[in-house]
Amino acid sequence: MPKKATKGLEDMFLDGLKDIYYAEKKILKALPKMAKGAESEEVAAAFEKHREQTEEQVERLEQIFDSMDKPARGKTCPAIDGIIEEGSEILSDYKDAPALDAGLVGAAQAVEHYEIARYGTLIAWAEQLGMKDALQLLRKTLQEEMETDEALTKLGEQGVNERAMQEAA
Ligand code: FE
Ligand code: FE
Ligand code: FE
């Protein structure tokens, strides 16, 4: 009980860092599966591009752990496990179906939105804690997540959603 009472914002920040570190590593494994499963080349290319960005995002988090003299360690994030599980369901339930890519784009956007929520909060806490270097790294990643989200929206608008309207052959 007394130990809990001393937990402050820095502990919360570190826990949040572990959560997103776990999530990013999980996403790193999921993206190639989604790219491989995607029907269209554009969708596959978008997933592949973001996989490369994700590798750098993992490294940025490791830099932040390092700057805090903490080991880079993930903490199970049930939210990302669930979101990725839903993506896998799309892959199996819509295999070879016209709506597959629309579903995959939607699943990927759910991942980005989770990340955007988490990075937004970490940025606010890093500001409060005066962690200037961490702030810069987190902002860079947030920017990439937002750009990815927008790119996915455009993919949907540029034909993926329309193709999903076709009846299965
Ligand atoms: Fe990410
Ligand atoms: Fe989480
Ligand atoms: Fe992302």
Side-chain angles (χ1 to χ4, degrees), residues 76-144:
T76 305
C77 168
I80 206 70
D81 283 344
I83 291 168
I84 286 173
E85 176 58 33
E86 286 189 1
S88 315
E89 280 175 18
I90 301 272
L91 272 175
S92 50
D93 294 355
Y94 284 84
K95 197 175 188 301
D96 299 323
L100 173 67
D101 281 6
L104 290 180
V105 166
Q109 283 191 287
V111 170
E112 296 316 306
H113 292 181
Y114 178 73
E115 294 182 289
I116 289 166
R118 284 291 177 247
Y119 279 109
T121 299
L122 286 170
I123 285 167
W125 290 344
E127 264 172 9
Q128 186 64 43
L129 292 163
M131 300 173 69
K132 289 210 176 67
D133 293 345
L135 204 48
Q136 216 181 350
L137 294 164
L138 294 168
R139 281 192 178 133
K140 187 144 201 227
T141 294
L142 177 62
Q143 187 62 34
E144 289 174 355

Side-chain angles (χ1 to χ4, degrees), residues 8-65:
L9 191 61
E10 197 176 327
D11 301 284
M12 188 81 92
F13 179 85
L14 187 60
D15 274 341
L17 215 56
K18 290 177 180 171
D19 177 88
I20 200 69
Y21 186 63
Y22 173 95
E24 291 287 16
K25 290 190 128 183
K26 193 96 190 206
I27 293 162
L28 203 50
K29 281 193 206 144
L31 281 167
K33 290 178 197 160
M34 290 172 74
K36 203 170 163 230
E39 198 64 50
S40 86
E41 272 177 41
E42 308 102 278
V43 173
F47 292 158
E48 174 53 29
K49 181 185 174 190
H50 197 50
R51 191 201 60 79
E52 283 171 26
Q53 288 177 323
T54 302
E55 274 182 0
E56 287 180 44
Q57 295 175 353
V58 167
E59 283 170 22
R60 282 183 205 126
L61 292 172
E62 286 167 353
Q63 283 182 55
I64 300 173
F65 279 114

